[in-house]
């Protein structure tokens, strides 16, 4: 028999896994002057996107908003790292966040350093948000567990109350 609690818990469990699948992403950028290319790989649970361009085309990096992103007045804008090239911008991250702006500013500085310092041979950037995605997914999952646990305890309470009522009636 389906109860409201079980259906809601099932929804929360599915929502939890959906949070992880949609948000989890590993971004890796490698630039090597010896080879002459930069590659950007954005890996998600369901696939990856790759972009490559010559190192000589790299002119810098900046923190930019996602296209069509709107922020509420007074709130911090959600930003992401974008590589600036002669042929156009190449996003390093497929998402925007307002949480790790310090880390992203450091990544922009690293790109600026390699562009300005021609003796620097390699650049390696990595952004891994799988752990924060797990934390995000744990919220609805823990709500589902708490709901099922509370529901089971409440049923036991009602069963005990009903059995006491029968014993008193007899």
């Amino acid at each position: 028999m389906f109860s409201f609690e079980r259906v809601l818990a099932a929804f929360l469990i599915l929502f939890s896994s959906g949070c992880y699948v949609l948000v989890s992403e590993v971004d890796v950028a490698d630039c090597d002057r010896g080879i002459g290319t930069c590659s950007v790989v954005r890996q998600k649970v369901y696939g990856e996107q790759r972009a490559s361009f010559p190192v000589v085309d790299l002119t810098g990096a900046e923190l930019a908003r996602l296209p069509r992103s709107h922020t509420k007045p007074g709130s911090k804008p959600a930003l992401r790292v974008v590589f600036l090239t002669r042929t156009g911008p190449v996003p390093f991250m497929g998402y925007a966040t307002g949480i790790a702006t310090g880390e992203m500013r450091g990544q922009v500085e690293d790109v600026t350093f390699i562009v300005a310092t021609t003796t620097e041979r390699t650049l390696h950037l990595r952004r891994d948000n799988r752990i924060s995605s797990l934390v995000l997914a744990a919220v609805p999952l823990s709500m589902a567990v708490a709901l099922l646990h509370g529901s089971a305890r409440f049923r036991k309470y009602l069963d005990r109350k009903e059995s006491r009522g029968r014993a008193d009636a007899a």
Side-chain angles (χ1 to χ4, degrees), residues 3-77:
S3 66
F4 175 74
E5 298 88 16
R6 289 181 181 169
V7 172
L8 183 58
F11 171 76
L12 288 170
I13 290 168
L14 289 174
F15 183 69
S16 173
S17 59
C19 285
Y20 181 78
V21 167
L22 291 175
V23 177
S24 178
E25 185 170 311
V26 178
D27 306 302
V28 179
D30 285 307
C31 294
D32 190 337
R33 282 204 164 91
I35 299 171
T37 61
C38 285
S39 64
V40 178
V41 180
R42 295 186 342 223
Q43 298 172 329
K44 294 191 73 74
V45 173
Y46 51 84
E48 68 180 31
Q49 293 178 334
R50 294 180 173 270
S52 295
F53 53 90
V55 175
V56 294
D57 285 354
L58 183 63
T59 59
E62 68 179 6
L63 292 179
R65 290 184 186 188
L66 275 174
R68 300 180 304 270
S69 71
H70 303 288
T71 57
K72 296 176 185 174
S75 67
K76 292 182 180 179

Side-chain angles (χ1 to χ4, degrees), residues 61-64 79-83 90-93 104 107-108:
E62 68 179 6
L63 292 179
L79 302 170
R80 67 178 178 170
V81 176
V82 176
F83 294 115
V90 177
F92 173 51
M93 301 164 16
M104 291 187 294
Q107 292 169 340
V108 169

